[in-house]
Amino acid sequence: MERTNPCTACGACCANFRVSFYWAEAPERGLPEALYAPLNATMAHMIGTNCRHPRCAALSGEIGRETRCAVYDARPSPCRSVEPGDDKCLQARVAYGLAEL
């Protein structure tokens, strides 16, 4: 029986937090330049996440239904650190009125 990744039916974390990371991580991972911007001298952020109502520019789809990250394999460390059901995940799911995993 194949298990489906619960993130593909959620995306709440991608539309709830600012995603900031050490700037050199982006070219190392192959992140497209159009999807990140400088935050300060040493940090960058994913476009769309440094605002009052964040939503990462790499996210497509409808939160809580079906979503996809356009740069999943190149995503920065903050994105990689969120795990289904962890504190960040649950915080984001609550913000969108989604049930806990």
Side-chain angles (χ1 to χ4, degrees), residues 71-97:
V71 294
Y72 187 81
D73 291 335
R75 72 197 188 283
S77 56
C79 302
R80 293 170 185 272
S81 71
V82 178
E83 294 288 330
D86 73 6
D87 289 342
K88 287 282 191 186
C89 168
L90 296 179
Q91 182 182 347
R93 289 181 66 83
V94 165
Y96 278 90

Side-chain angles (χ1 to χ4, degrees), residues 21-31 36 41-44:
F21 51 93
Y22 180 61
W23 71 269
E25 188 177 333
E28 286 173 1
R29 294 195 183 278
L31 193 62
Y36 67 94
T42 59
M43 302 294 286

Side-chain angles (χ1 to χ4, degrees), residues 13 16-20 39 43-46 48-51 54 78:
C13 62
N16 198 62
F17 303 109
R18 180 177 74 191
V19 179
S20 54
L39 190 58
M43 302 294 286
H45 67 91
M46 291 296 290
T49 68
N50 192 29
C51 55

Side-chain angles (χ1 to χ4, degrees), residues 5-13 59 61-67 89 92-93 96 98 101:
N5 183 336
C7 300
T8 61
C10 183
C13 62
L59 180 68
E62 184 180 344
I63 305 296
R65 289 198 160 288
E66 185 176 344
T67 58
C89 168
R93 289 181 66 83
Y96 278 90
L98 302 172
L101 295 178

